Amino acid sequence: RSPFQMTQPQIMRYIPLIAILCLSCRQGNEAFDAQGSFEAEEVLVSPEATGRIVEWKVSEGDSLAAGDTVGRIEGRSLELQREQAEASLRALQERTTDAGPQVALLNDQLAVQQAQLDNLVRELARAEGLLKKDAATGKQVDDLRFQLESVRRQMAVTRQQIAVQRALTANQNRAVLSETEPLRKRTEQIDDQLRRTGIVNPAAGVVIATYANLGETAVPGRPLYKVADLHELTLRAYVTGDQVTSLSVGR
């Protein structure tokens, strides 16, 4: 590189002097006009998380685009917290109860009772027929009717047990799963914190100053570097009080 070439940050340091020379020097012996400086839109970039800087890719003079990831802050503790939240979610699933096996046993019992009921209905019909022919006694018919009623009551109890088992299991599972949503929200919160450990450049421009190095501790609110857009510069000029009355737009 030629000894007369300068980087963009170096040029920025000389812009005020250049502006003063351009504004104050005119052809001939005309009077002084104004003095001022060229100003670029600058952005101070601060971290969104606290921790040690484990990746750092910023140097003075670098041209950065908006959205470039230029560094990363250590987030191991957050990763461990996320693993813990995921383990808690898995544990909740293991604590839920399946009513299926118990309900299946009760349904089998109900099927046996139904078979007994069907058989008693047939026996009662036959006994009532025999009673009309004086081939059976009234006590035999009454005994069958009592047995029939007993089986019906047993079936009612079994159906109630099935309903209770399903309701009890549903309530237990509901209580367990009520902890799921808070854990999911916690996981989302940790994911957001992990995302903030990345140092993302917010605006396109050239790095004109850095305030951090690899291995240092980053703290929100403490700038890491300064980036400025050198494609568009604003000239801010100052005039003396006696010149104000002679100023007009376009002249």
Side-chain angles (χ1 to χ4, degrees):
R1 177 167 40 175
S2 170
F4 299 102
Q5 291 180 331
M6 293 185 293
T7 63
Q8 287 177 310
Q10 291 173 328
I11 293 174
M12 287 292 295
R13 298 191 185 100
Y14 291 102
I15 282 179
L17 177 59
I18 297 170
I20 293 172
L21 293 175
C22 292
L23 291 172
S24 60
C25 297
R26 301 182 60 179
Q27 294 181 356
N29 296 322
E30 295 181 12
F32 167 83
D33 281 342
Q35 66 177 1
S37 62
F38 286 100
E39 299 177 356
E41 183 178 350
E42 299 176 350
V43 178
L44 284 172
V45 182
S46 299
E48 296 185 81
T50 300
R52 186 169 59 90
I53 301 174
V54 293
E55 289 184 17
W56 186 243
K57 298 180 286 186
V58 178
S59 300
E60 289 190 11
D62 289 347
S63 294
L64 302 177
D68 283 351
T69 299
V70 297
R72 186 172 62 86
I73 297 171
E74 186 177 24
R76 180 56 182 164
S77 62
L78 291 173
E79 292 173 354
L80 292 174
Q81 291 178 36
R82 195 186 194 289
E83 291 175 3
Q84 183 180 20
E86 290 178 339
S88 298
L89 280 171
R90 290 193 296 269
L92 284 179
Q93 298 299 325
E94 294 174 359
R95 285 167 53 191
T96 57
T97 304
D98 182 11
Q102 186 64 28
V103 170
L105 288 175
L106 291 172
N107 279 326
D108 290 343
Q109 181 178 333
L110 189 63
V112 172
Q113 292 169 344
Q114 182 64 51
Q116 293 175 348
L117 181 68
D118 294 342
N119 184 60
L120 287 171
V121 168
R122 290 192 295 270
E123 289 292 329
L124 178 60
R126 186 174 63 177
E128 289 175 342
L130 293 174
L131 181 61
K132 293 177 180 180
K133 299 177 181 179
D134 294 328
T137 64
K139 184 178 182 305
Q140 291 176 323
V141 173
D142 292 339
D143 288 343
L144 287 171
R145 287 174 178 171
F146 177 78
Q147 294 176 24
L148 187 65
E149 185 62 25
S150 297
V151 172
R152 283 173 176 166
R153 289 179 180 179
Q154 291 173 6
M155 293 180 67
V157 171
T158 303
R159 292 191 182 98
Q160 186 176 11
Q161 289 176 337
I162 292 174
V164 169
Q165 184 65 39
R166 286 173 173 168
L168 181 62
T169 302
N171 289 335
Q172 291 176 342
N173 290 344
R174 192 178 300 110
V176 171
L177 296 178
S178 65
E179 304 175 32
T180 301
E181 190 61 22
L183 282 172
R184 285 177 178 169
K185 292 296 182 183
R186 175 58 180 159
T187 302
E188 292 176 4
Q189 183 183 32
I190 296 172
D191 287 340
D192 181 67
Q193 292 174 336
L194 282 171
R195 179 185 60 80
R196 294 175 185 273
T197 60
I199 304 172
V200 180
N201 182 59
V206 176
V207 179
I208 59 176
T210 59
Y211 311 110
N213 292 300
L214 184 67
E216 292 184 354
T217 299
V219 178
R222 183 187 300 170
L224 299 175
Y225 64 95
K226 183 191 294 184
V227 63
D229 183 5
L230 302 184
H231 293 92
E232 294 185 8
L233 301 177
T234 301
L235 174 60
R236 190 180 300 275
Y238 301 88
V239 297
T240 59
D242 57 357
Q243 293 176 299
V244 174
T245 57
S246 63
L247 295 178
S248 63
V249 178
R251 294 182 56 190

